[in-house]
Amino acid sequence: MRIRRAHLLIPLLALLSALFAAPSTAVAATGVAAYQTSVNGDSADVYYPTGTSSGLPVALILQGAKVDKAQYAKYASAIAAQGFVVVVPNHYRLMIFEYERYAAENQVTDTVAWMKDEKYNSASPLYKRVSSTKLGLLGHSFGGAAGLAAAEDTCSLVFCPTLSFSLPSQVKAASFYGTNNEFLGIFADVDNQIPVQLVQGTVDGIAPPADAEQTYTHLLNAPRQIVRVSGANHYGITDVQSPSPAEAETTTQSLSQDASVEVAARWAGRFLLAELGDDAAADYVWHTGDASDPQVTVTGVS
């Protein structure tokens, strides 16, 4: 574990209101079900594929600043439909003297502990179905920045309130949307210890596309990839645009919300699958997907 100064500027502020929901099961989408639980005290939504398959890898979504977990329902369902258990916590913590939903690195280790417990929880819909050894990271904006710090195996001050973090061996890869590591015009090198994909809307008015491009060039280790989604803005993976009380987007998407969610989730899910050893997914993200998907342009090193 290394300690490092934070390097991303994202708006901060607001009010605490954490709710803890009792476990319940409901259909979230065709082939996908969902239930509510808690992960180390954080209220969380869990999406998973229906059926009897076991050894399902987990994907943790680190939310954007002040974006409620419910806003990732469509994105999480699209990831789950690709064969993942998707965990979306509401993580409240103190930032600039206010409590709000701000992701933190310790959520990664919390989720690893949750995976192990859930696998052997006979009351869980995931009993003996979820993997305890395969975790992928997904993140949006501030949450992606927290994920970048985790991917470096650093305790980055803004994202590491526990003042200690070690990247668990269960974490295999990461995909972050609308994320960069710009701080006061500076882009630090990112010594990523796991494969990292950046997914960036080309009309993002909050996290500029140019900043994502710079961040990509500072990823030191392969595999690394940047996927540019034409016509998507900063809230291309949330259920609605500018979900209150998060910062409002000033640029309009030319893609429909459903289309931007689908494209971003498809590329993120397949990247994680590729790094988990899925040959078909690897062929798509590194060879055939760019040419077959008119909504994206892709640069990467496998």
PDB file of all heavy atoms in Angstrom, residues 126-159:
ATOM      1  N   LEU A 126     -27.956 -15.688  -4.002  1.00  0.00           N
ATOM      2  CA  LEU A 126     -26.664 -16.009  -4.615  1.00  0.00           C
ATOM      3  C   LEU A 126     -25.939 -17.156  -3.909  1.00  0.00           C
ATOM      4  O   LEU A 126     -24.761 -17.399  -4.175  1.00  0.00           O
ATOM      5  CB  LEU A 126     -25.776 -14.764  -4.618  1.00  0.00           C
ATOM      6  CG  LEU A 126     -26.327 -13.574  -5.403  1.00  0.00           C
ATOM      7  CD1 LEU A 126     -25.412 -12.373  -5.261  1.00  0.00           C
ATOM      8  CD2 LEU A 126     -26.505 -13.926  -6.876  1.00  0.00           C
ATOM      9  N   TYR A 127     -26.641 -17.834  -3.024  1.00  0.00           N
ATOM     10  CA  TYR A 127     -26.037 -18.938  -2.278  1.00  0.00           C
ATOM     11  C   TYR A 127     -25.387 -19.948  -3.223  1.00  0.00           C
ATOM     12  O   TYR A 127     -26.035 -20.500  -4.110  1.00  0.00           O
ATOM     13  CB  TYR A 127     -27.116 -19.624  -1.439  1.00  0.00           C
ATOM     14  CG  TYR A 127     -26.659 -20.818  -0.637  1.00  0.00           C
ATOM     15  CD1 TYR A 127     -25.592 -20.722   0.253  1.00  0.00           C
ATOM     16  CD2 TYR A 127     -27.317 -22.039  -0.752  1.00  0.00           C
ATOM     17  CE1 TYR A 127     -25.186 -21.818   1.007  1.00  0.00           C
ATOM     18  CE2 TYR A 127     -26.937 -23.143  -0.004  1.00  0.00           C
ATOM     19  CZ  TYR A 127     -25.860 -23.028   0.873  1.00  0.00           C
ATOM     20  OH  TYR A 127     -25.464 -24.116   1.611  1.00  0.00           O
ATOM     21  N   LYS A 128     -24.085 -20.126  -3.070  1.00  0.00           N
ATOM     22  CA  LYS A 128     -23.267 -21.030  -3.878  1.00  0.00           C
ATOM     23  C   LYS A 128     -23.273 -20.695  -5.370  1.00  0.00           C
ATOM     24  O   LYS A 128     -22.869 -21.520  -6.195  1.00  0.00           O
ATOM     25  CB  LYS A 128     -23.693 -22.487  -3.648  1.00  0.00           C
ATOM     26  CG  LYS A 128     -23.381 -22.972  -2.239  1.00  0.00           C
ATOM     27  CD  LYS A 128     -23.659 -24.457  -2.089  1.00  0.00           C
ATOM     28  CE  LYS A 128     -23.263 -24.932  -0.681  1.00  0.00           C
ATOM     29  NZ  LYS A 128     -23.533 -26.384  -0.507  1.00  0.00           N
ATOM     30  N   ARG A 129     -23.683 -19.480  -5.721  1.00  0.00           N
ATOM     31  CA  ARG A 129     -23.666 -19.068  -7.129  1.00  0.00           C
ATOM     32  C   ARG A 129     -22.620 -17.999  -7.407  1.00  0.00           C
ATOM     33  O   ARG A 129     -22.147 -17.866  -8.536  1.00  0.00           O
ATOM     34  CB  ARG A 129     -25.040 -18.520  -7.550  1.00  0.00           C
ATOM     35  CG  ARG A 129     -26.167 -19.538  -7.580  1.00  0.00           C
ATOM     36  CD  ARG A 129     -27.384 -18.940  -8.283  1.00  0.00           C
ATOM     37  NE  ARG A 129     -27.072 -18.653  -9.674  1.00  0.00           N
ATOM     38  CZ  ARG A 129     -27.723 -17.754 -10.413  1.00  0.00           C
ATOM     39  NH1 ARG A 129     -28.698 -17.036  -9.884  1.00  0.00           N
ATOM     40  NH2 ARG A 129     -27.378 -17.561 -11.671  1.00  0.00           N
ATOM     41  N   VAL A 130     -22.276 -17.202  -6.393  1.00  0.00           N
ATOM     42  CA  VAL A 130     -21.382 -16.074  -6.603  1.00  0.00           C
ATOM     43  C   VAL A 130     -19.933 -16.479  -6.345  1.00  0.00           C
ATOM     44  O   VAL A 130     -19.644 -17.266  -5.449  1.00  0.00           O
ATOM     45  CB  VAL A 130     -21.787 -14.885  -5.693  1.00  0.00           C
ATOM     46  CG1 VAL A 130     -21.665 -15.249  -4.228  1.00  0.00           C
ATOM     47  CG2 VAL A 130     -20.964 -13.652  -6.008  1.00  0.00           C
ATOM     48  N   SER A 131     -19.021 -15.953  -7.150  1.00  0.00           N
ATOM     49  CA  SER A 131     -17.606 -16.194  -6.930  1.00  0.00           C
ATOM     50  C   SER A 131     -17.108 -15.376  -5.740  1.00  0.00           C
ATOM     51  O   SER A 131     -17.565 -14.258  -5.513  1.00  0.00           O
ATOM     52  CB  SER A 131     -16.808 -15.802  -8.180  1.00  0.00           C
ATOM     53  OG  SER A 131     -15.417 -15.841  -7.929  1.00  0.00           O
ATOM     54  N   SER A 132     -16.165 -15.913  -5.014  1.00  0.00           N
ATOM     55  CA  SER A 132     -15.511 -15.159  -3.943  1.00  0.00           C
ATOM     56  C   SER A 132     -14.100 -14.751  -4.339  1.00  0.00           C
ATOM     57  O   SER A 132     -13.349 -14.207  -3.529  1.00  0.00           O
ATOM     58  CB  SER A 132     -15.474 -15.986  -2.654  1.00  0.00           C
ATOM     59  OG  SER A 132     -14.765 -17.201  -2.867  1.00  0.00           O
ATOM     60  N   THR A 133     -13.731 -14.983  -5.619  1.00  0.00           N
ATOM     61  CA  THR A 133     -12.350 -14.740  -6.054  1.00  0.00           C
ATOM     62  C   THR A 133     -12.238 -13.831  -7.271  1.00  0.00           C
ATOM     63  O   THR A 133     -11.123 -13.498  -7.674  1.00  0.00           O
ATOM     64  CB  THR A 133     -11.653 -16.069  -6.386  1.00  0.00           C
ATOM     65  OG1 THR A 133     -12.354 -16.725  -7.461  1.00  0.00           O
ATOM     66  CG2 THR A 133     -11.614 -16.989  -5.171  1.00  0.00           C
ATOM     67  N   LYS A 134     -13.357 -13.402  -7.855  1.00  0.00           N
ATOM     68  CA  LYS A 134     -13.298 -12.607  -9.087  1.00  0.00           C
ATOM     69  C   LYS A 134     -14.137 -11.337  -8.934  1.00  0.00           C
ATOM     70  O   LYS A 134     -15.368 -11.394  -8.879  1.00  0.00           O
ATOM     71  CB  LYS A 134     -13.822 -13.415 -10.277  1.00  0.00           C
ATOM     72  CG  LYS A 134     -12.985 -14.651 -10.590  1.00  0.00           C
ATOM     73  CD  LYS A 134     -13.604 -15.443 -11.732  1.00  0.00           C
ATOM     74  CE  LYS A 134     -12.791 -16.696 -12.020  1.00  0.00           C
ATOM     75  NZ  LYS A 134     -13.435 -17.511 -13.107  1.00  0.00           N
ATOM     76  N   LEU A 135     -13.459 -10.197  -8.874  1.00  0.00           N
ATOM     77  CA  LEU A 135     -14.124  -8.905  -8.723  1.00  0.00           C
ATOM     78  C   LEU A 135     -13.626  -7.940  -9.790  1.00  0.00           C
ATOM     79  O   LEU A 135     -12.414  -7.784  -9.980  1.00  0.00           O
ATOM     80  CB  LEU A 135     -13.854  -8.323  -7.338  1.00  0.00           C
ATOM     81  CG  LEU A 135     -14.387  -6.912  -7.052  1.00  0.00           C
ATOM     82  CD1 LEU A 135     -15.913  -6.871  -7.136  1.00  0.00           C
ATOM     83  CD2 LEU A 135     -13.918  -6.421  -5.686  1.00  0.00           C
ATOM     84  N   GLY A 136     -14.555  -7.292 -10.484  1.00  0.00           N
ATOM     85  CA  GLY A 136     -14.228  -6.217 -11.400  1.00  0.00           C
ATOM     86  C   GLY A 136     -14.737  -4.902 -10.850  1.00  0.00           C
ATOM     87  O   GLY A 136     -15.745  -4.870 -10.137  1.00  0.00           O
ATOM     88  N   LEU A 137     -14.050  -3.809 -11.159  1.00  0.00           N
ATOM     89  CA  LEU A 137     -14.466  -2.485 -10.711  1.00  0.00           C
ATOM     90  C   LEU A 137     -15.093  -1.713 -11.847  1.00  0.00           C
ATOM     91  O   LEU A 137     -14.574  -1.690 -12.968  1.00  0.00           O
ATOM     92  CB  LEU A 137     -13.266  -1.699 -10.173  1.00  0.00           C
ATOM     93  CG  LEU A 137     -12.474  -2.314  -9.028  1.00  0.00           C
ATOM     94  CD1 LEU A 137     -11.375  -1.355  -8.582  1.00  0.00           C
ATOM     95  CD2 LEU A 137     -13.384  -2.680  -7.869  1.00  0.00           C
ATOM     96  N   LEU A 138     -16.228  -1.073 -11.556  1.00  0.00           N
ATOM     97  CA  LEU A 138     -16.867  -0.130 -12.455  1.00  0.00           C
ATOM     98  C   LEU A 138     -17.003   1.182 -11.690  1.00  0.00           C
ATOM     99  O   LEU A 138     -17.236   1.174 -10.478  1.00  0.00           O
ATOM    100  CB  LEU A 138     -18.253  -0.626 -12.885  1.00  0.00           C
ATOM    101  CG  LEU A 138     -18.290  -1.969 -13.617  1.00  0.00           C
ATOM    102  CD1 LEU A 138     -19.732  -2.462 -13.732  1.00  0.00           C
ATOM    103  CD2 LEU A 138     -17.661  -1.850 -15.003  1.00  0.00           C
ATOM    104  N   GLY A 139     -16.859   2.294 -12.362  1.00  0.00           N
ATOM    105  CA  GLY A 139     -16.969   3.563 -11.661  1.00  0.00           C
ATOM    106  C   GLY A 139     -17.436   4.662 -12.574  1.00  0.00           C
ATOM    107  O   GLY A 139     -17.244   4.611 -13.791  1.00  0.00           O
ATOM    108  N   HIS A 140     -18.064   5.663 -11.978  1.00  0.00           N
ATOM    109  CA  HIS A 140     -18.589   6.811 -12.717  1.00  0.00           C
ATOM    110  C   HIS A 140     -18.030   8.077 -12.099  1.00  0.00           C
ATOM    111  O   HIS A 140     -18.212   8.311 -10.900  1.00  0.00           O
ATOM    112  CB  HIS A 140     -20.115   6.800 -12.650  1.00  0.00           C
ATOM    113  CG  HIS A 140     -20.778   7.967 -13.305  1.00  0.00           C
ATOM    114  ND1 HIS A 140     -21.980   8.480 -12.859  1.00  0.00           N
ATOM    115  CD2 HIS A 140     -20.416   8.729 -14.374  1.00  0.00           C
ATOM    116  CE1 HIS A 140     -22.332   9.493 -13.635  1.00  0.00           C
ATOM    117  NE2 HIS A 140     -21.398   9.670 -14.548  1.00  0.00           N
ATOM    118  N   SER A 141     -17.320   8.895 -12.897  1.00  0.00           N
ATOM    119  CA  SER A 141     -16.889  10.212 -12.459  1.00  0.00           C
ATOM    120  C   SER A 141     -16.046  10.124 -11.179  1.00  0.00           C
ATOM    121  O   SER A 141     -14.974   9.520 -11.171  1.00  0.00           O
ATOM    122  CB  SER A 141     -18.127  11.094 -12.286  1.00  0.00           C
ATOM    123  OG  SER A 141     -17.792  12.452 -12.105  1.00  0.00           O
ATOM    124  N   PHE A 142     -16.515  10.714 -10.075  1.00  0.00           N
ATOM    125  CA  PHE A 142     -15.789  10.650  -8.808  1.00  0.00           C
ATOM    126  C   PHE A 142     -15.518   9.204  -8.411  1.00  0.00           C
ATOM    127  O   PHE A 142     -14.424   8.871  -7.914  1.00  0.00           O
ATOM    128  CB  PHE A 142     -16.601  11.361  -7.729  1.00  0.00           C
ATOM    129  CG  PHE A 142     -15.899  11.511  -6.405  1.00  0.00           C
ATOM    130  CD1 PHE A 142     -15.217  12.674  -6.091  1.00  0.00           C
ATOM    131  CD2 PHE A 142     -15.935  10.489  -5.473  1.00  0.00           C
ATOM    132  CE1 PHE A 142     -14.564  12.813  -4.858  1.00  0.00           C
ATOM    133  CE2 PHE A 142     -15.297  10.615  -4.248  1.00  0.00           C
ATOM    134  CZ  PHE A 142     -14.609  11.788  -3.940  1.00  0.00           C
ATOM    135  N   GLY A 143     -16.504   8.334  -8.621  1.00  0.00           N
ATOM    136  CA  GLY A 143     -16.316   6.923  -8.304  1.00  0.00           C
ATOM    137  C   GLY A 143     -15.238   6.280  -9.155  1.00  0.00           C
ATOM    138  O   GLY A 143     -14.484   5.424  -8.681  1.00  0.00           O
ATOM    139  N   GLY A 144     -15.151   6.692 -10.430  1.00  0.00           N
ATOM    140  CA  GLY A 144     -14.075   6.199 -11.279  1.00  0.00           C
ATOM    141  C   GLY A 144     -12.718   6.663 -10.789  1.00  0.00           C
ATOM    142  O   GLY A 144     -11.726   5.931 -10.860  1.00  0.00           O
ATOM    143  N   ALA A 145     -12.641   7.907 -10.293  1.00  0.00           N
ATOM    144  CA  ALA A 145     -11.389   8.416  -9.748  1.00  0.00           C
ATOM    145  C   ALA A 145     -10.963   7.624  -8.515  1.00  0.00           C
ATOM    146  O   ALA A 145      -9.785   7.302  -8.336  1.00  0.00           O
ATOM    147  CB  ALA A 145     -11.535   9.894  -9.405  1.00  0.00           C
ATOM    148  N   ALA A 146     -11.933   7.297  -7.657  1.00  0.00           N
ATOM    149  CA  ALA A 146     -11.632   6.433  -6.516  1.00  0.00           C
ATOM    150  C   ALA A 146     -11.138   5.075  -6.994  1.00  0.00           C
ATOM    151  O   ALA A 146     -10.212   4.484  -6.429  1.00  0.00           O
ATOM    152  CB  ALA A 146     -12.869   6.279  -5.632  1.00  0.00           C
ATOM    153  N   GLY A 147     -11.762   4.577  -8.060  1.00  0.00           N
ATOM    154  CA  GLY A 147     -11.342   3.303  -8.628  1.00  0.00           C
ATOM    155  C   GLY A 147      -9.944   3.348  -9.217  1.00  0.00           C
ATOM    156  O   GLY A 147      -9.178   2.386  -9.108  1.00  0.00           O
ATOM    157  N   LEU A 148      -9.592   4.473  -9.862  1.00  0.00           N
ATOM    158  CA  LEU A 148      -8.225   4.620 -10.388  1.00  0.00           C
ATOM    159  C   LEU A 148      -7.201   4.554  -9.262  1.00  0.00           C
ATOM    160  O   LEU A 148      -6.139   3.935  -9.401  1.00  0.00           O
ATOM    161  CB  LEU A 148      -8.079   5.941 -11.140  1.00  0.00           C
ATOM    162  CG  LEU A 148      -8.490   5.984 -12.606  1.00  0.00           C
ATOM    163  CD1 LEU A 148      -8.334   7.404 -13.146  1.00  0.00           C
ATOM    164  CD2 LEU A 148      -7.661   5.002 -13.444  1.00  0.00           C
ATOM    165  N   ALA A 149      -7.496   5.226  -8.150  1.00  0.00           N
ATOM    166  CA  ALA A 149      -6.590   5.174  -7.003  1.00  0.00           C
ATOM    167  C   ALA A 149      -6.455   3.743  -6.495  1.00  0.00           C
ATOM    168  O   ALA A 149      -5.353   3.273  -6.187  1.00  0.00           O
ATOM    169  CB  ALA A 149      -7.089   6.097  -5.900  1.00  0.00           C
ATOM    170  N   ALA A 150      -7.584   3.036  -6.415  1.00  0.00           N
ATOM    171  CA  ALA A 150      -7.547   1.642  -5.974  1.00  0.00           C
ATOM    172  C   ALA A 150      -6.743   0.787  -6.947  1.00  0.00           C
ATOM    173  O   ALA A 150      -5.973  -0.090  -6.534  1.00  0.00           O
ATOM    174  CB  ALA A 150      -8.967   1.102  -5.834  1.00  0.00           C
ATOM    175  N   ALA A 151      -6.912   1.044  -8.248  1.00  0.00           N
ATOM    176  CA  ALA A 151      -6.198   0.271  -9.265  1.00  0.00           C
ATOM    177  C   ALA A 151      -4.692   0.438  -9.163  1.00  0.00           C
ATOM    178  O   ALA A 151      -3.924  -0.436  -9.569  1.00  0.00           O
ATOM    179  CB  ALA A 151      -6.672   0.674 -10.655  1.00  0.00           C
ATOM    180  N   GLU A 152      -4.249   1.573  -8.614  1.00  0.00           N
ATOM    181  CA  GLU A 152      -2.822   1.811  -8.395  1.00  0.00           C
ATOM    182  C   GLU A 152      -2.313   1.185  -7.109  1.00  0.00           C
ATOM    183  O   GLU A 152      -1.106   1.239  -6.839  1.00  0.00           O
ATOM    184  CB  GLU A 152      -2.543   3.311  -8.332  1.00  0.00           C
ATOM    185  CG  GLU A 152      -2.629   4.051  -9.633  1.00  0.00           C
ATOM    186  CD  GLU A 152      -2.071   5.452  -9.477  1.00  0.00           C
ATOM    187  OE1 GLU A 152      -2.818   6.344  -9.031  1.00  0.00           O
ATOM    188  OE2 GLU A 152      -0.877   5.648  -9.785  1.00  0.00           O
ATOM    189  N   ASP A 153      -3.215   0.651  -6.292  1.00  0.00           N
ATOM    190  CA  ASP A 153      -2.858   0.146  -4.967  1.00  0.00           C
ATOM    191  C   ASP A 153      -2.274   1.271  -4.114  1.00  0.00           C
ATOM    192  O   ASP A 153      -1.274   1.101  -3.408  1.00  0.00           O
ATOM    193  CB  ASP A 153      -1.862  -1.013  -5.079  1.00  0.00           C
ATOM    194  CG  ASP A 153      -1.707  -1.779  -3.769  1.00  0.00           C
ATOM    195  OD1 ASP A 153      -2.580  -1.648  -2.888  1.00  0.00           O
ATOM    196  OD2 ASP A 153      -0.699  -2.506  -3.624  1.00  0.00           O
ATOM    197  N   THR A 154      -2.923   2.450  -4.194  1.00  0.00           N
ATOM    198  CA  THR A 154      -2.498   3.591  -3.391  1.00  0.00           C
ATOM    199  C   THR A 154      -3.614   3.993  -2.432  1.00  0.00           C
ATOM    200  O   THR A 154      -4.790   3.762  -2.698  1.00  0.00           O
ATOM    201  CB  THR A 154      -2.173   4.817  -4.267  1.00  0.00           C
ATOM    202  OG1 THR A 154      -3.366   5.243  -4.945  1.00  0.00           O
ATOM    203  CG2 THR A 154      -1.098   4.521  -5.274  1.00  0.00           C
ATOM    204  N   CYS A 155      -3.239   4.607  -1.333  1.00  0.00           N
ATOM    205  CA  CYS A 155      -4.200   5.251  -0.452  1.00  0.00           C
ATOM    206  C   CYS A 155      -4.179   6.729  -0.819  1.00  0.00           C
ATOM    207  O   CYS A 155      -3.324   7.483  -0.357  1.00  0.00           O
ATOM    208  CB  CYS A 155      -3.823   5.035   1.011  1.00  0.00           C
ATOM    209  SG  CYS A 155      -4.993   5.770   2.180  1.00  0.00           S
ATOM    210  N   SER A 156      -5.090   7.139  -1.708  1.00  0.00           N
ATOM    211  CA  SER A 156      -5.121   8.502  -2.224  1.00  0.00           C
ATOM    212  C   SER A 156      -6.047   9.335  -1.341  1.00  0.00           C
ATOM    213  O   SER A 156      -7.215   9.005  -1.182  1.00  0.00           O
ATOM    214  CB  SER A 156      -5.619   8.487  -3.673  1.00  0.00           C
ATOM    215  OG  SER A 156      -5.502   9.743  -4.267  1.00  0.00           O
ATOM    216  N   LEU A 157      -5.542  10.397  -0.752  1.00  0.00           N
ATOM    217  CA  LEU A 157      -6.164  11.042   0.397  1.00  0.00           C
ATOM    218  C   LEU A 157      -7.653  11.326   0.256  1.00  0.00           C
ATOM    219  O   LEU A 157      -8.435  11.063   1.160  1.00  0.00           O
ATOM    220  CB  LEU A 157      -5.396  12.322   0.746  1.00  0.00           C
ATOM    221  CG  LEU A 157      -3.931  12.105   1.148  1.00  0.00           C
ATOM    222  CD1 LEU A 157      -3.275  13.428   1.504  1.00  0.00           C
ATOM    223  CD2 LEU A 157      -3.818  11.128   2.308  1.00  0.00           C
ATOM    224  N   VAL A 158      -8.088  11.887  -0.872  1.00  0.00           N
ATOM    225  CA  VAL A 158      -9.505  12.206  -1.051  1.00  0.00           C
ATOM    226  C   VAL A 158     -10.363  10.948  -1.070  1.00  0.00           C
ATOM    227  O   VAL A 158     -11.510  10.955  -0.626  1.00  0.00           O
ATOM    228  CB  VAL A 158      -9.723  13.021  -2.342  1.00  0.00           C
ATOM    229  CG1 VAL A 158     -11.207  13.129  -2.689  1.00  0.00           C
ATOM    230  CG2 VAL A 158      -9.128  14.413  -2.195  1.00  0.00           C
ATOM    231  N   PHE A 159      -9.817   9.856  -1.567  1.00  0.00           N
ATOM    232  CA  PHE A 159     -10.594   8.640  -1.788  1.00  0.00           C
ATOM    233  C   PHE A 159     -10.339   7.561  -0.740  1.00  0.00           C
ATOM    234  O   PHE A 159     -10.900   6.477  -0.820  1.00  0.00           O
ATOM    235  CB  PHE A 159     -10.279   8.075  -3.175  1.00  0.00           C
ATOM    236  CG  PHE A 159     -10.395   9.093  -4.269  1.00  0.00           C
ATOM    237  CD1 PHE A 159      -9.276   9.496  -4.981  1.00  0.00           C
ATOM    238  CD2 PHE A 159     -11.615   9.678  -4.566  1.00  0.00           C
ATOM    239  CE1 PHE A 159      -9.379  10.447  -5.982  1.00  0.00           C
ATOM    240  CE2 PHE A 159     -11.728  10.632  -5.557  1.00  0.00           C
ATOM    241  CZ  PHE A 159     -10.610  11.026  -6.268  1.00  0.00           C
TER     242      PHE A 159
END
